[in-house]
Amino acid sequence: MGKKIFFIGAGNMGSAILNSLTGEDISFYEPDDERAGKIKAERTDSIEKGLSKADIVFLCVKPQVFKKFNPVCLQKPCIVISIMAGVTVLDLKAKFENAYIMRTMPNIAVSAKKGTVAIATDGVDENIIQTAEHLFSKCASTVRVSESQMDAVTGLSGSGPAFAFQFIEALAMGGVKMGLPRDAAMKLALSTTGGAVEMLEQSKANPNELTATVCSPGGTTIAGMQELENKAFRGTVMAAVEAAAKRSAELGMFILMFFSTLLCAKDIDLGHLAMCSGLKQCLNYEHPQCNAEEKKPNPDIKYNAEFCSPYLELKQRGLRTDDPRARDLFRYMGRQYRVTYTLNGTIPVSKEMMIYLFENMEFTAQLVNAYRKTKYTITYDTPDRKYFSGDNGDNLSGSFVWLLNDSAGVDTGMHHLFFGRGRTKILAWRLHGTATAVLDLKEASENSVFYEFRAIVSPNGAILNSIMNLGIFNSVVKGKIKEIIENIENAAKEFAKGNRKPIANYAPFKQEKWKKNLQEFEAIAKSH
């Protein structure tokens, strides 16, 4: 090709693409010595040095790393090809001034030279698209899409290999369960799935058409197909793709919220400075990642009792200042602007029912949907269920960490502390930002619970701070929160009264996965 290619990052995906480009003039930047040692190309000791010579740049870092980049002053125009999930073309242009930007999404199968790469072609010159297609052709097939479809691509082909690996593993384990040796079962599972893919590619037929050719009337395959249908196999896979796509969108919306506005200057992490100074001035805690200069007070902030009260309260509730999960909380809480929304009231259900609903939030979302005909989704993002994402089926969504579920030291399961990032449309504004949420529950009677909910929001700037403090804005925000609480209240109340008709009519509750939750919740309701 005769062009100098520079890779920023050489992780699993980046190194797979890099290694496929044999014969090209390639250099790369990778701070990890172990990873770098596996790459047969020229390693540079700085990003700036690599960019100074590059005609084409592959951006192969995680979005969390990309957000720390300074805006880059390129010495000459070049093509920047990004493989990052959730990072938009606008985000890239904010960092790489005067570059030709191309957003792509490969999957991990590029490491076996069997990958697929989606290329967002919106506003990209045809010759640049063809350049990218030529480079990727050495390790993958390509498909052209619009940028608005990239999150869906991420959910399908970016995350899809992991779903496929799990299916193959399950197929092999089924064989083991029925008596096959492990090695034989895995060999059969691999050849079976590989053969099915080849048949689809060669025949160009619809998957359902080929399925029909395997399903003999009254035979073995149709019996297995019925079991897949009973267990909502296709719906579960569709939901997995949807969840991955939503997570990709969240990465773009949340991780890249606060860019530095300094061009080609030293990176000033305002969030880091806010964390350092806030912890030092309010709690006299010296974070080990902060230097003496960073701990100094912000001259625009009065570190008085009002400003420091959330710090003191969270410490009293048991939040550790060195808890890595709380780092972002302190980064945003230490900024100059802050708005607090407070709601309280009484929910006419028992303490035990409320505790169960908060300990099983995926089930709670489905229960509310059944009774209120809503479209809530809540998904736990980690096995320990400390991280979760959710939305209301409309314009309110977020990703959260459950920091404490006994934050007052008493009444386990009744005092909660969350931190998260969310987005919503309120009045004429489409907003995204961070909030610390404190939820306290107190048993009011045998069958009622008093609640107080506080959301401590960190606006990014004086204008947004002023808007969010408006009375009408405050009322709308509280209305959205109250709507969620009332939906939970009404669903739990109807269940406690013995109304099971919505449960019987709600299709998802016919799935095996919810039977245990329904039985457990039924037992709690009957005991109160």
Side-chain angles (χ1 to χ4, degrees):
M1 178 175 283
K3 294 183 181 295
K4 294 184 179 295
I5 303 173
F6 177 53
F7 277 74
I8 303 177
N12 292 337
M13 195 80 76
S15 61
I17 298 169
L18 188 159
N19 289 332
S20 72
L21 299 177
T22 54
E24 302 289 351
D25 185 355
I26 298 175
S27 62
F28 72 99
Y29 172 79
E30 170 55 59
D32 188 294
D33 290 336
E34 184 177 353
R35 287 180 179 175
K38 299 176 182 178
I39 306 298
K40 295 180 180 179
E42 179 188 354
R43 184 186 184 186
T44 65
D45 56 12
S46 74
I47 293 175
E48 291 74 15
K49 185 181 295 185
L51 287 172
S52 68
K53 302 176 182 179
D55 299 302
I56 300 171
V57 177
F58 275 85
L59 193 53
C60 307
V61 299
K62 293 183 181 299
Q64 297 93 322
V65 175
F66 173 70
K67 79 165 186 140
K68 299 178 182 178
F69 277 26
N70 289 321
V72 175
C73 291
L74 297 171
Q75 296 183 16
K76 63 177 181 178
C78 67
I79 299 171
V80 174
I81 301 174
S82 167
I83 69 168
M84 294 183 294
V87 182
T88 68
V89 170
L90 286 176
D91 295 329
L92 292 162
K93 286 182 176 178
K95 294 288 190 179
F96 291 91
E97 195 176 36
N98 300 322
Y100 302 106
I101 302 295
M102 173 166 289
R103 184 179 171 191
T104 70
M105 177 48 57
N107 63 18
I108 195 62
V110 296
S111 60
K113 297 187 177 180
K114 291 285 187 178
T116 301
V117 179
I119 298 175
T121 59
D122 314 42
V124 182
D125 291 343
E126 178 63 26
N127 64 324
I128 296 176
I129 297 172
Q130 290 181 5
T131 297
E133 288 178 332
H134 170 72
L135 293 171
F136 281 122
S137 68
K138 300 186 179 184
C139 62
S141 60
T142 58
V143 58
R144 298 185 182 190
V145 298
S146 65
E147 189 183 11
S148 64
Q149 297 169 326
M150 287 300 279
D151 290 325
V153 168
T154 303
L156 174 56
S157 69
S159 302
F163 307 154
F165 297 151
Q166 286 298 296
F167 171 72
I168 293 168
E169 171 69 9
L171 204 61
M173 290 303 291
V176 172
K177 181 179 180 181
M178 299 312 296
L180 288 173
R182 168 76 184 183
D183 290 347
M186 181 56 70
K187 185 175 182 179
L188 287 167
L190 287 170
S191 62
T192 298
T193 51
V197 171
E198 288 291 332
M199 287 180 67
L200 277 170
E201 290 182 340
Q202 292 178 17
S203 68
K204 307 297 183 183
N206 183 290
N208 283 333
E209 294 173 354
L210 291 181
T211 299
T213 65
V214 188
C215 292
S216 303
T220 59
T221 306
I222 195 63
M225 288 296 297
Q226 181 180 3
E227 192 65 18
L228 289 178
E229 290 297 306
N230 289 343
K231 297 297 191 297
F233 172 73
R234 288 187 295 181
T236 301
V237 175
M238 290 166 65
V241 173
E242 180 182 7
K246 286 182 177 179
R247 185 58 178 163
S248 172
E250 288 168 2
L251 284 170
M253 182 62 72
F254 305 138
I255 295 176
L256 304 174
M257 288 189 299
F258 300 104
F259 278 134
S260 167
T261 57
L262 301 175
L263 292 177
C264 300
K266 181 181 178 182
D267 187 16
I268 300 177
D269 188 340
L270 298 179
H272 179 70
L273 292 177
M275 178 188 73
C276 297
S277 58
L279 287 172
K280 173 61 178 176
Q281 301 306 314
C282 289
L283 296 179
N284 197 29
Y285 174 72
E286 301 192 6
H287 198 285
Q289 295 181 11
C290 304
N291 60 41
E293 187 67 25
E294 292 167 338
K295 298 169 191 172
K296 291 181 179 179
N298 182 335
D300 295 324
I301 296 176
K302 293 181 179 179
Y303 294 92
N304 53 24
E306 179 183 1
F307 184 86
C308 291
S309 61
Y311 287 88
L312 297 171
E313 180 187 351
L314 297 183
K315 183 177 180 181
Q316 290 169 355
R317 286 176 174 269
L319 182 65
R320 290 175 46 185
T321 49
D322 60 350
D323 187 336
R325 297 177 306 156
R327 179 181 171 84
D328 276 350
L329 181 154
F330 289 118
R331 283 164 59 90
Y332 294 110
M333 186 174 286
R335 295 190 177 203
Q336 182 177 357
Y337 303 107
R338 186 186 297 163
V339 182
T340 301
Y341 303 103
T342 303
L343 285 89
N344 55 56
T346 301
I347 300 175
V349 295
S350 71
K351 168 184 175 180
E352 288 73 17
M353 289 181 72
M354 287 303 299
I355 290 175
Y356 187 86
L357 290 173
F358 275 97
E359 289 179 346
N360 299 275
M361 291 189 290
E362 287 181 316
F363 167 71
T364 302
Q366 297 299 328
L367 189 75
V368 173
N369 291 341
Y371 280 94
R372 306 298 293 164
K373 297 184 178 180
T374 49
K375 296 181 179 179
Y376 290 107
T377 61
I378 294 179
T379 303
Y380 290 113
D381 298 331
T382 55
D384 62 5
R385 309 206 299 182
K386 295 299 183 185
Y387 292 82
F388 60 94
S389 304
D391 67 73
N392 70 341
D394 186 14
N395 61 30
L396 179 65
S397 62
S399 183
F400 305 90
V401 56
W402 193 341
L403 292 170
L404 295 171
N405 64 355
D406 187 17
S407 60
V410 294
D411 292 337
T412 302
M414 298 289 279
H415 302 276
H416 306 292
L417 177 64
F418 307 93
F419 174 78
R421 298 177 170 90
R423 64 170 183 254
T424 186
K425 180 181 179 184
I426 297 179
L427 302 176
W429 295 282
R430 292 188 179 275
L431 304 172
H432 55 268
T434 65
T436 302
V438 180
L439 175 64
D440 286 320
L441 303 171
K442 182 178 180 181
E443 190 172 25
S445 69
E446 185 178 355
N447 291 302
S448 67
V449 172
F450 175 82
Y451 74 88
E452 181 175 276
F453 177 86
R454 280 179 296 139
I456 305 169
V457 183
S458 302
N460 188 31
I463 295 176
L464 185 56
N465 184 64
S466 298
I467 292 171
M468 295 182 73
N469 274 292
L470 292 173
I472 187 172
F473 194 98
N474 191 297
S475 297
V476 174
V477 172
K478 287 184 178 180
K480 285 180 174 288
I481 298 171
K482 190 169 180 60
E483 180 183 1
I484 296 172
I485 293 172
E486 287 178 345
N487 280 328
I488 296 173
E489 171 187 338
N490 290 328
K493 185 168 63 175
E494 286 297 306
F495 192 96
K497 287 181 178 179
N499 178 13
R500 300 293 182 269
K501 187 175 180 180
I503 298 290
N505 294 334
Y506 186 57
F509 276 151
K510 298 183 187 299
Q511 299 175 21
E512 188 71 26
K513 64 181 291 187
W514 301 117
K515 286 185 179 179
K516 181 182 177 182
N517 292 107
L518 287 168
Q519 291 169 356
E520 291 173 342
F521 201 52
E522 181 82 48
I524 293 171
K526 285 182 177 179
S527 65
H528 292 84

